Amino acid sequence: MKHISATIITYNEERRIEACLASLEGITDEIVVVDSYSTDRTAEICGKHGCKVVKRDFPGYGAQRQFATSLTSHSYVLSIDADEVLSPALRTSIMRLKEEGFAHRVYRMSRLNFYCGQPIRHCGWYPDIQIRLFDKRYANWNLRDVSERVIFPDSLRPEMLDGDILHYRCTTPEEYRQVQTRHAAITGKVISAKSDSISPVTPYIKGVGAFLGCYIGKGAILDGHEGRAISREQYRSAFLAYNIARRTLKKAR
């Protein structure tokens, strides 16, 4: 039987963390949680489930995930978020690897995203291929603050696993908006660091482009009410990110 470590980065996830942890039972041999000083019971719940909990300020998604990987005891690491669970099919796929051995260094899997309880098949949200299981001796997270990903040598070819990660992004539109607002704030800082100046009309142009790219380009129109809501939030998030970047550049002058 092969061993797998799991990593989770958390902040105020007491409502969702137990479902995540339950989906890892029998699959992982240790769970490392890096918590950004949650003010709810997240750390307490993780501790009761036998997780190794380390508290650390949040430096960005890539750096936090990489730090979590560095704390693991086993070579193969499964990275999962607190609002995600493994589907039964994916659990079966990973259990087969544990029993038969790892033939690859990197594994990829699809992720099915949910908006207010509804599975979303378009909007660029499915199959949303993710690399989440890897041999840390050959692969690890990059240090990007947002849009982070697992990087590895070109000579390695990720193997696709059957089953999905089920990602419950939000239970209400307001919850999704809050998450998008946090991401926009981080993205705005990244944009400002790479830009010399941003026109006053740029946030509007980027916002409209994001809306059309999602609603038409990625087929959100086929997801009905949920697709329209997600597309509107894409507009708002892009507008906010570029507006934050523009204000940051103005202050720096």
Side-chain angles (χ1 to χ4, degrees):
M1 181 74 74
K2 302 299 181 180
H3 298 289
I4 298 177
S5 297
T7 61
I8 311 173
I9 60 174
T10 59
Y11 178 71
N12 287 352
E13 295 285 358
E14 68 176 8
R15 290 187 299 109
R16 298 186 284 201
I17 191 63
E18 295 218 55
C20 174
L21 296 174
S23 78
L24 298 177
E25 289 181 5
I27 298 294
T28 57
D29 301 282
E30 72 166 352
I31 302 174
V32 175
V33 175
V34 178
D35 182 69
S36 301
Y37 293 97
S38 292
T39 56
D40 63 6
R41 297 178 57 249
T42 299
E44 177 187 342
I45 293 170
C46 291
K48 287 182 178 179
H49 281 264
C51 303
K52 176 182 179 180
V53 180
V54 176
K55 297 196 175 186
R56 184 179 190 241
D57 288 329
F58 183 73
Y61 287 97
Q64 197 78 324
R65 294 188 194 279
Q66 190 179 106
F67 176 73
T69 301
S70 74
L71 301 178
T72 58
S73 303
H74 306 299
S75 296
Y76 275 86
V77 178
L78 174 65
S79 177
I80 187 168
D81 287 340
D83 57 359
E84 297 174 341
V85 302
L86 306 181
S87 72
L90 184 54
R91 281 177 51 85
T92 298
S93 295
I94 297 174
M95 182 56 71
R96 186 176 299 116
L97 291 178
K98 286 175 65 69
E99 294 172 349
E100 299 177 358
F102 299 98
H104 298 267
R105 305 295 186 187
V106 181
Y107 293 87
R108 60 191 183 128
M109 55 209 72
S110 57
R111 181 169 68 171
L112 178 60
N113 293 277
F114 290 73
Y115 177 85
C116 299
Q118 296 297 315
I120 304 299
R121 298 287 180 175
H122 304 93
C123 298
W125 280 24
Y126 192 78
D128 191 19
I129 301 299
Q130 301 282 314
I131 292 176
R132 293 294 192 85
L133 177 60
F134 56 89
D135 186 335
K136 68 181 182 183
R137 296 170 296 183
Y138 297 86
N140 207 336
W141 294 93
N142 62 15
L143 295 175
R144 295 186 63 173
D145 290 345
V146 289
S147 301
E148 71 287 1
R149 64 186 181 89
V150 175
I151 54 177
F152 47 88
D154 293 337
S155 59
L156 298 183
R157 291 293 178 266
E159 176 73 2
M160 188 71 182
L161 294 178
D162 291 331
D164 296 327
I165 296 173
L166 306 180
H167 183 201
Y168 297 95
R169 288 195 171 205
C170 61
T171 54
T172 65
E174 180 57 32
E175 183 181 354
Y176 181 62
R177 170 167 288 200
Q178 290 173 0
V179 171
Q180 289 299 99
T181 298
R182 291 197 297 270
H183 286 184
I186 298 172
T187 302
K189 293 178 181 178
V190 173
I191 294 170
S192 65
K194 296 180 179 179
S195 307
D196 294 323
S197 64
I198 296 176
S199 164
V201 300
T202 297
Y204 296 96
I205 294 172
K206 294 294 184 179
V208 171
F211 176 88
L212 294 176
C214 183
Y215 195 62
I216 304 298
K218 296 179 180 178
I221 189 172
L222 300 174
D223 285 311
H225 169 75
E226 289 80 12
R228 291 192 297 275
I230 292 168
S231 298
R232 287 194 296 268
E233 276 305 312
Q234 291 297 304
Y235 169 88
R236 178 180 172 276
S237 181
F239 175 88
L240 184 58
Y242 277 88
N243 208 33
I244 289 172
R246 181 170 176 268
R247 292 201 306 267
T248 300
L249 289 172
K250 287 181 66 176
K251 290 180 180 178
R253 291 174 184 170

